[in-house]
Amino acid sequence: MSTHSSRAEFYQLWLMLRRVMHQMSNIRSKELSRYGLSMAEAGAMAVIYSLDGKATPAEVARQTLREPHTVSGLLTRMYRKGLVNKTPDQGQKNIVRVSLTDKGFEVYWKAMEVESVGEILSVLNEQERKQFWTALRKLRQKSTEYQTKSNEVSIRGRLSLGSSTGSR
């Protein structure tokens, strides 16, 4: 396969992935709106629940692939809605722990009844789901490596620009 045709195939595959994710996200957003939740809130709640009392805003940001300031605002909105508690860590006063409130647990469990996602993914048999998981893990790993490399290049570029402007 020539470089041009493989690039075209990769682009078409990427477009299909984006289209499917966009469709599924729209469907899931409508489903979550029944509980007054956004996709971001549901994702944060899943992380907070999985960390079982050890969640911090920084860890929520890391696991949801969002910027810390974005998660800070998200958690503040969730706190105002009565979904989460924010309490200072007993050992380290500069760290805040985030946990689900009773209302948060109730809404979380209702929202995790993933009717649409389960129905859509049910078209894949067990073997196909395992293959899909494997492919998604590979793509996530490669994109994480690529993003890390890209960030390092960006930082080096800013550092070199800063040193050259200071020598004028």
Side-chain angles (χ1 to χ4, degrees):
M1 184 183 283
S2 75
T3 302
H4 178 70
S5 60
S6 63
R7 282 185 183 164
E9 180 187 359
F10 291 156
Y11 187 73
Q12 291 301 314
L13 186 57
W14 177 79
L15 282 176
M16 178 61 82
L17 185 62
R18 293 274 303 152
R19 287 177 185 139
V20 170
M21 194 61 220
H22 183 75
Q23 278 181 306
M24 289 180 72
S25 293
N26 285 342
I27 293 166
R28 184 70 178 134
S29 288
K30 286 179 186 171
E31 201 170 54
L32 289 171
S33 70
R34 286 186 257 162
Y35 309 108
L37 289 179
S38 68
M39 293 271 289
E41 289 169 332
M45 291 175 91
V47 170
I48 294 166
Y49 176 79
S50 74
L51 293 174
D52 195 27
K54 295 176 180 64
T56 63
E59 187 60 22
V60 173
R62 190 182 74 71
Q63 289 198 29
T64 58
L65 304 175
R66 295 184 181 276
E67 294 294 324
H69 67 275
T70 302
V71 168
S72 178
L74 175 66
L75 293 174
T76 297
R77 288 189 299 280
M78 292 172 71
Y79 176 80
R80 288 182 187 140
K81 290 169 83 171
L83 300 173
V84 297
N85 288 316
K86 296 179 357 180
T87 55
D89 185 88
Q90 296 299 324
Q92 297 174 289
K93 297 297 181 193
N94 62 330
I95 293 185
V96 174
R97 297 284 173 194
V98 184
S99 59
L100 297 176
T101 62
D102 288 342
K103 177 182 176 181
F105 272 113
E106 184 182 327
V107 171
Y108 172 75
W109 285 112
K110 286 180 182 176
M112 290 308 111
E113 294 173 5
V114 287
E115 301 160 14
S116 62
V117 174
E119 188 173 334
I120 293 167
L121 291 176
S122 71
V123 301
L124 302 175
N125 64 37
E126 185 178 354
Q127 182 181 356
E128 290 169 326
R129 285 192 306 271
K130 286 179 182 178
Q131 291 170 335
F132 192 48
W133 267 111
T134 300
L136 288 173
R137 282 189 195 105
K138 286 179 177 181
L139 290 169
R140 184 184 63 199
Q141 179 63 38
K142 187 64 174 178
S143 63
T144 300
E145 290 169 10
Y146 192 87
Q147 186 174 27
T148 300
K149 185 173 83 174
S150 176
N151 290 344
E152 289 170 359
V153 168
S154 176
I155 290 169
R156 280 196 303 268
R158 284 194 305 255
L159 290 175
S160 68
L161 282 175
S163 64
S164 66
T165 58
S167 62
R168 285 186 185 176

